[in-house]
């Protein structure tokens, strides 16, 4: 069982920055992809960014050039640096990790951290 704990959310004015962190702990086999998703009220959860263990990254078009995802494999931690925040970035942000146990992949989710951007 992998536990994901997020931190770093909060309230910020438009144009500001926040850095989210997510640390994985517990029984970890081999975490391949770690990522961030977000869900605004009344909307579906959507991918924000993800990063593979080798460093390959993917971003949603809406955050390209503003957000940067990174990870520390030794610490099983993923970060999301969010710059030039906009009110439409307001959402609950969830950390996701894909752990390979030797037979199949298992998805884990954090509890979420709220990001609110005021105009």
């Amino acid at each position: 069982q992998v536990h994901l704990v997020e931190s770093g959310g909060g309230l910020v004015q438009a144009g500001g920055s926040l850095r989210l962190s997510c640390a994985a702990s517990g029984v970890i086999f081999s975490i391949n992809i770690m990522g961030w998703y977000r869900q605004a009220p009344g909307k579906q959860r959507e991918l924000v960014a993800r990063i593979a263990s080798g460093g390959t990254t993917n971003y949603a078009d809406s955050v390209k050039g503003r957000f940067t995802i990174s990870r520390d494999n030794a610490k099983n931690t993923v970060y999301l640096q969010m710059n030039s925040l906009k009110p439409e970035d307001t959402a609950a942000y969830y950390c996701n990790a894909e752990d390979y146990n030797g037979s199949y992949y298992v998805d884990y989710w954090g509890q979420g951290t709220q990001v609110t951007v005021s105009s």
Side-chain angles (χ1 to χ4, degrees):
Q1 187 78 5
V2 176
H3 300 281
L4 301 175
V5 178
E6 302 118 332
S7 61
L11 173 64
V12 65
Q13 289 188 331
S17 299
L18 283 174
R19 188 186 192 220
L20 305 183
S21 299
C22 172
S25 62
V27 180
I28 298 171
F29 291 96
S30 179
I31 293 179
N32 179 20
I33 295 175
M34 298 188 79
W36 291 94
Y37 289 72
R38 68 186 180 187
Q39 187 167 18
K43 295 187 177 181
Q44 289 188 330
R45 189 172 296 189
E46 63 176 2
L47 172 70
V48 176
R50 59 187 177 187
I51 182 169
S53 56
T56 301
T57 58
N58 294 99
Y59 293 92
D61 288 342
S62 59
V63 307
K64 283 181 180 177
R66 300 188 298 122
F67 292 9
T68 302
I69 190 170
S70 61
R71 66 189 283 177
D72 184 332
N73 289 331
K75 296 181 179 179
N76 287 312
T77 299
V78 64
Y79 307 95
L80 185 68
Q81 178 66 43
M82 304 185 293
N83 299 328
S84 302
L85 282 160
K86 303 176 181 180
E88 50 264 44
D89 294 318
T90 296
Y93 283 70
Y94 297 90
C95 177
N96 169 263
E98 179 184 83
D99 188 39
Y100 183 63
N101 63 13
S103 296
Y104 52 88
Y105 291 94
V106 181
D107 265 335
Y108 295 96
W109 293 91
Q111 80 285 354
T113 184
Q114 180 67 34
V115 171
T116 302
V117 184
S118 64
S119 58

